[in-house]
Amino acid sequence: MKILLLEDDIMLNNAITQYLNTIGHTVTSLRDGKECLDLAKKERFDLAIFDINVPSIDGLTILEELHAIKRGMPVIYISTLIDIEDISKAYELGCCDYIKKPFHLKELNLRINKILETVKKDMYHKRLSKNYSFDSENRTLYYNNNPQVLSKRQLQIVEFLAHNRSFVCSYEMFKDHVWYEEDIEDGTIRTEINRLKKNLKEDFIINVRGIGYMIELIH
């Protein structure tokens, strides 16, 4: 997994980084909250491990900021904070786990493996809304576990958006990945997506005016 680590204690940061690299993960480690937020906005990570009390921007605010721009990823908090209000806020913001310091590195690995199992399942079965999901292995859209009939083009649109949940897919991206064999205008894309949206029982495709479309990441 590609992991983003935010921990301002240099000894703990180095220990976690070395351990996770040793067991096969790729770790980018930082000690400053603002640097972490800036990087998380630019690059995609499979998992984040955040301390809460760090310089510049605290770990809770970072997750809040990422959700505000629809940049989602699984997050594990590691912290000395034991106040139930802090722990509750972490889970309210959508973290996957919360580990109190001190902890054993093997415990962290167990928590990561649990999330990895969920991520692997999510790779093939993607939740798009309350009742819609997309099985990327069988290339099928489901509504309440019932397969839905779509045209080839509509299926390509759903598959592309489902693969890029939480990211705004621009018209140029649609041209490159969905209409890659055709020379089309933006209006053609809008027309086809509007036709698709009319066939859906839940409107989970978000129109980002002037830019493109997206599907929110549901945890």
Side-chain angles (χ1 to χ4, degrees):
M1 295 181 78
K2 185 179 178 183
I3 297 176
L4 176 61
L5 170 65
L6 173 63
E7 170 57 63
D8 65 330
D9 184 300
I10 189 169
M11 292 184 64
L12 181 57
N13 186 308
N14 290 340
I16 294 174
T17 299
Q18 183 177 354
Y19 175 76
L20 294 181
N21 283 333
T22 300
I23 60 177
H25 299 293
T26 301
V27 181
T28 299
S29 62
L30 297 169
R31 298 171 58 197
D32 180 85
K34 185 178 184 305
E35 291 180 6
C36 178
L37 178 58
D38 290 343
L39 183 61
K41 288 179 178 179
K42 297 175 184 176
E43 294 188 26
R44 296 185 67 169
F45 292 89
D46 301 313
L47 172 72
I49 302 171
F50 290 160
D51 189 3
I52 294 178
N53 288 332
V54 293
S56 301
I57 302 176
D58 68 82
L60 295 174
T61 301
I62 291 173
L63 184 55
E64 200 168 13
E65 292 281 340
L66 291 175
H67 282 320
I69 60 171
K70 312 300 182 185
R71 178 60 66 96
M73 65 180 137
V75 174
I76 297 176
Y77 278 113
I78 53 175
S79 179
T80 56
L81 299 177
I82 58 174
D83 192 306
I84 191 61
E85 295 300 322
D86 295 310
I87 298 174
S88 297
K89 184 174 181 181
Y91 281 107
E92 287 170 5
L93 289 172
C95 80
C96 296
D97 214 333
Y98 189 105
I99 306 176
K100 298 175 184 177
K101 297 179 182 178
F103 57 87
H104 198 288
L105 291 176
K106 287 186 177 180
E107 178 187 359
L108 177 60
N109 185 40
L110 291 173
R111 308 288 186 99
I112 291 174
N113 286 339
K114 183 178 179 182
I115 292 174
L116 181 57
E117 290 177 6
T118 302
V119 170
K120 284 182 176 178
K121 291 179 182 177
D122 192 50
M123 286 174 62
Y124 298 108
H125 195 79
K126 304 176 187 296
R127 177 63 56 186
L128 307 182
S129 68
K130 180 179 179 181
N131 296 298
Y132 273 106
S133 61
F134 183 76
D135 186 333
S136 58
E137 189 172 27
N138 298 313
R139 300 186 72 240
T140 303
L141 179 68
Y142 289 91
Y143 180 79
N144 283 335
N145 298 319
N146 296 312
Q148 304 296 291
V149 178
L150 298 176
S151 69
K152 179 181 178 180
R153 184 67 73 198
Q154 290 174 350
L155 182 61
Q156 289 174 319
I157 292 169
V158 171
E159 183 176 29
F160 179 59
L161 288 170
H163 181 69
N164 292 283
R165 287 172 302 162
S166 83
F167 289 89
V168 178
C169 298
S170 68
Y171 290 106
E172 290 303 316
M173 291 172 67
F174 277 103
K175 292 175 184 178
D176 290 340
H177 297 280
V178 179
W179 278 270
Y180 53 89
E181 296 178 345
E182 304 174 37
D183 184 15
I184 62 165
E185 302 294 329
D186 293 356
T188 302
I189 299 173
R190 285 194 294 268
T191 298
E192 191 62 45
I193 292 180
N194 286 336
R195 188 179 293 120
L196 167 62
K197 286 160 69 75
K198 289 179 181 178
N199 290 335
L200 298 173
K201 299 179 178 66
E202 292 175 351
D203 189 8
F204 55 81
I205 300 176
I206 300 170
N207 179 12
V208 183
R209 188 175 298 277
I211 301 177
Y213 298 85
M214 70 172 291
I215 296 176
E216 289 188 335
L217 181 63
I218 300 175
H219 294 286

